Amino acid sequence: MKKLLATAAALALGAGMASAEVKVGMITTLSGGGAGLGIDVRDGFMLAVEQSGRDDIEVVIEDDQRKPDIAVQLSDKMIQSEKVDVLTGIIWSNLAMAVIPGAVAQGKFYLSPNAGPSALAGKGCHENYFNVAWQNDNLHEAAGAYANSAGYDNSFILAPNYPAGQDALTGYKRLYDGAVAGEVYTQLGQTDYAAEIAQIRASGADSVFFFLPGGMGISFLKQYADSGVGLPVVGPAFSFDQGILQAVGPAALGVVNTSQWSKDLDNPANAAFVESFEEKYGRLPSLYASQGFDTANLLISAMEKADVSDADAFREALRAADFDSTRGDFAFGPNQHPVQDIYAREVIKEGDVFTNKVIGVALEDHSNAYVAECKM
């Protein structure tokens, strides 16, 4: 298995400098289905490390191949052999559930740049686990709130049958006031949605909500557009993000999706991030890239206040979240998940590029539904 060792010293100041004072283990998806998500998290994270100019961060990066057993093996190796201080990088909630509880139980900090399963926000919360993206339900809750404002009152809803998919439909129904015309859990990694589209057609629905990240969303949207069903679609950003839209193409135009980030958010940190990411990597950043970038900057902000060897002080420095987020205002709630605005975005075309523009705020200063279950 290929291992990439990347250090801030090598990236920013050249090789031959002092050994790292904080060692980060990044386990993320770099091959197979969903690789684009992990690549974007990695690239955003490493851009922030490079821009910091620090020579005291070492990042060990491994590919989990989207397999829980591989992710656990990598975590064990990073903790026991690599002696990392902090873990990060996991995209998929089933992998997060396999890795995070064991890692934090061994005294390691885990900073999630993506997966936010409800089990780790509520009863399974831990003082060493911080989610820098969102709790899984959040963007779906915002989609439900948007559906209310759009006048939809009979949605057909579908998502893959794994923790994040279950959280997705739970989140949508939590804030959606209408009826549910049909509720379907698909297979994780599914590419043929003819049966589900036939169910939508026959359901009497007035709208469709779906959560199908990565290639699943590409397949569904293209097939749905070709089907001629024509019901309005609303969903979270995961199927309408920058890395996916070019593959979806015109089928996504006009679709409203929800996100805590967008490239057109008007704040200095975001403008600088978008410009520098595009300059370095030759592509527009995605939601995942912004989350990787913010995760690294959270880590760096804690390093400026405390030594990772002093776990209590380092934990408090992380809780302070004293960094300029690409999202603008950012803070942790009591269960160490974000409190933040979540926006409604519309898919548009700028020149030859499909992208999103913010059209409003779906939820303001939003936390999550599991805070009361967390007994930290």
Side-chain angles (χ1 to χ4, degrees), residues 28 33 63 71 73 91 135 141 157 197 250 253 292 297 337 355:
T28 197
D63 178 12
Q73 291 171 22
I91 300 297
Q135 191 279 315
E141 291 167 335
I157 63 177
I197 292 170
L253 281 174
N297 279 320
H337 286 64
T355 188

Side-chain angles (χ1 to χ4, degrees), residues 12 24 34 54 74 81 86 174 227 230 240 248 292 302 311 349 361:
V24 180
R54 299 186 70 104
L74 292 173
S81 300
V86 176
R174 181 174 291 120
S227 74
F240 303 94
V248 176
K349 193 173 184 181
V361 178

Side-chain angles (χ1 to χ4, degrees), residues 89-142:
I90 290 177
I91 300 297
W92 307 93
S93 288
N94 53 334
L95 274 67
M97 291 302 302
V99 167
I100 293 172
V104 296
Q106 295 178 72
K108 303 303 176 182
F109 289 97
Y110 193 93
L111 310 181
S112 179
N114 195 68
S118 56
L120 298 182
K123 294 178 181 179
C125 68
H126 192 279
E127 63 182 1
N128 285 352
Y129 170 65
F130 291 80
N131 190 294
V132 197
W134 22 255
Q135 191 279 315
N136 279 351
D137 301 22
N138 287 165
L139 303 195
H140 315 295
E141 291 167 335

Side-chain angles (χ1 to χ4, degrees), residues 26-356:
M26 177 180 287
I27 301 168
T28 197
T29 305
L30 301 174
S31 62
L37 285 59
I39 289 168
D40 278 359
V41 161
R42 178 199 66 191
D43 288 353
F45 189 97
M46 296 312 300
L47 178 63
V49 172
E50 177 182 356
Q51 289 179 354
S52 75
R54 299 186 70 104
D55 62 359
D56 54 358
I57 305 173
E58 181 181 353
V59 187
V60 183
I61 303 174
E62 294 272 17
D63 178 12
D64 59 35
Q65 305 173 54
R66 205 168 130 183
K67 298 176 181 177
D69 57 333
I70 297 294
V72 170
Q73 291 171 22
L74 292 173
S75 176
D76 289 344
K77 183 177 75 168
M78 287 184 173
I79 292 171
Q80 295 163 16
S81 300
E82 299 284 358
K83 307 297 184 185
V84 300
D85 303 296
V86 176
L87 284 158
T88 190
I90 290 177
I91 300 297
W92 307 93
S93 288
N94 53 334
L95 274 67
M97 291 302 302
V99 167
I100 293 172
V104 296
Q106 295 178 72
K108 303 303 176 182
F109 289 97
Y110 193 93
L111 310 181
S112 179
N114 195 68
S118 56
L120 298 182
K123 294 178 181 179
C125 68
H126 192 279
E127 63 182 1
N128 285 352
Y129 170 65
F130 291 80
N131 190 294
V132 197
W134 22 255
Q135 191 279 315
N136 279 351
D137 301 22
N138 287 165
L139 303 195
H140 315 295
E141 291 167 335
Y146 171 79
N148 295 334
S149 69
Y152 304 149
D153 57 17
N154 195 25
S155 289
F156 191 102
I157 63 177
L158 67 160
N161 192 15
Y162 80 120
Q166 295 152 16
D167 287 347
L169 299 194
T170 298
Y172 185 79
K173 291 185 291 184
R174 181 174 291 120
L175 295 188
Y176 171 60
D177 295 332
V180 174
E183 180 173 344
V184 171
Y185 284 106
T186 63
Q187 295 298 311
L188 189 63
Q190 183 173 324
T191 57
D192 184 351
Y193 294 95
E196 289 79 9
I197 292 170
Q199 288 179 266
I200 293 169
R201 189 189 301 274
S203 70
D206 66 358
S207 53
V208 177
F209 166 79
F210 76 94
F211 165 64
L212 294 166
M216 294 179 284
I218 296 171
S219 297
F220 174 79
L221 275 170
K222 287 185 172 181
Q223 292 166 38
Y224 183 78
D226 289 344
S227 74
V229 171
L231 297 176
V233 172
V234 62
F238 314 115
S239 295
F240 303 94
D241 204 49
Q242 200 59 53
I244 292 175
L245 284 177
Q246 311 321 305
V248 176
L253 281 174
V255 173
V256 173
N257 60 95
T258 49
S259 177
Q260 88 284 17
W261 177 85
S262 189
K263 71 177 180 60
D264 57 335
L265 287 182
D266 187 15
N267 67 73
N270 192 49
F273 162 67
V274 172
E275 181 179 3
S276 61
F277 188 95
E278 188 170 15
E279 181 179 354
K280 182 169 181 63
Y281 299 113
R283 66 185 190 275
L284 286 171
S286 69
L287 173 72
Y288 305 98
S290 75
Q291 292 167 184
F293 188 80
D294 277 357
T295 300
N297 279 320
L298 170 68
L299 173 66
I300 292 162
S301 73
M303 291 175 64
E304 290 172 350
K305 293 185 173 185
D307 192 307
V308 73
S309 64
D310 184 343
D312 291 339
F314 198 76
R315 190 179 302 114
E316 288 307 311
L318 288 169
R319 285 175 177 155
D322 188 14
F323 71 102
D324 292 329
S325 170
T326 59
R327 286 162 259 187
D329 291 341
F330 176 96
F332 284 118
N335 60 350
Q336 298 176 173
H337 286 64
V339 177
Q340 59 193 343
D341 292 345
I342 303 177
Y343 303 91
R345 311 186 304 178
E346 181 182 355
V347 179
I348 62 169
K349 193 173 184 181
E350 293 179 346
D352 295 328
V353 177
F354 294 94
T355 188
N356 288 284

